[in-house]
Amino acid sequence: MKRLSVLLGAVLLSGCGLTPMYAGGGSGAVARGLADVQVAAIEGRAGWLVRNALVDQLGAGKAGVSPKYRLDVRLDDKLEGLALLSDDTISRERRTLRARYQLVDVTSGEIVLDATAQSDAGIDVVSSDYATIAAEQTALENLSKDVASRIVTGVALRLRGDTHQ
């Protein structure tokens, strides 16, 4: 019975038009397209973290290969206090990392994709300044990876030819 339900599920899914984005693995069309993206330098510490995550996830930067696309990213990193205690000290912060990114065709200079990606995190402010600063830095590192992942997904959808994002 279990085999029949798995087979029936596979047949139904094949008829709905869904196809795996990364079909073919590292040699598939989307993976090759992502490897053809060069990531421009991004300003600041958050920019360094996001750029490194993008290069890792895209598989870009192969020596001797001229890129077809350039990814330009501008970041807005905000840290704001949210909750106040009775003595007017902040007890909770919110860190938001927002990226506006453009995928540019290197040969024509045409902007192929212009979009944004954003992620945020809550941070508890504790009595130890060191612990609070460490939490803020950890939040930035995690947000950078998340924003980079969202950017890669947007670029992959565009390279695959999906117009609905």
Side-chain angles (χ1 to χ4, degrees):
M1 184 69 184
K2 188 176 181 180
R3 288 178 139 179
L4 181 61
S5 63
V6 170
L7 183 61
L8 182 61
V11 169
L12 289 175
L13 277 177
S14 67
C16 74
L18 290 177
T19 57
M21 183 181 307
Y22 296 105
S27 60
V30 172
R32 286 192 319 269
L34 290 176
D36 285 337
V37 176
Q38 173 191 19
V39 183
I42 309 170
E43 199 174 308
R45 175 171 165 70
W48 180 79
L49 290 167
V50 170
R51 184 179 185 284
N52 284 345
L54 285 168
V55 169
D56 287 347
Q57 293 179 32
L58 290 169
K62 295 179 181 168
V65 178
S66 4
K68 293 181 183 177
Y69 302 100
R70 183 185 71 244
L71 186 62
D72 297 326
V73 181
R74 286 184 303 279
L75 295 176
D76 183 24
D77 179 21
K78 288 186 181 175
L79 184 63
E80 57 188 345
L82 289 179
L84 291 176
L85 297 174
S86 59
D87 62 353
D88 287 336
T89 59
I90 296 172
S91 65
R92 188 108 172 116
E93 293 176 333
R94 177 179 171 191
R95 184 161 217 158
T96 305
L97 186 61
R98 184 172 191 265
R100 174 158 185 222
Y101 61 97
Q102 296 179 325
L103 185 65
V104 181
D105 185 317
V106 173
T107 55
S108 68
E110 175 189 356
I111 296 173
V112 178
L113 174 65
D114 188 353
T116 59
Q118 176 177 314
S119 190
D120 64 89
I123 302 163
D124 287 327
V125 177
V126 295
S127 59
S128 167
D129 289 341
Y130 175 79
T132 301
I133 291 169
E136 291 170 354
Q137 293 304 313
T138 300
L140 179 60
E141 291 168 9
N142 293 337
L143 292 174
S144 297
K145 290 175 188 171
D146 187 47
V147 166
S149 179
R150 291 170 190 264
I151 292 171
V152 170
T153 300
V155 170
L157 287 171
R158 180 62 181 100
L159 292 177
R160 190 175 91 170
D162 290 359
T163 55
H164 307 293
Q165 296 181 29

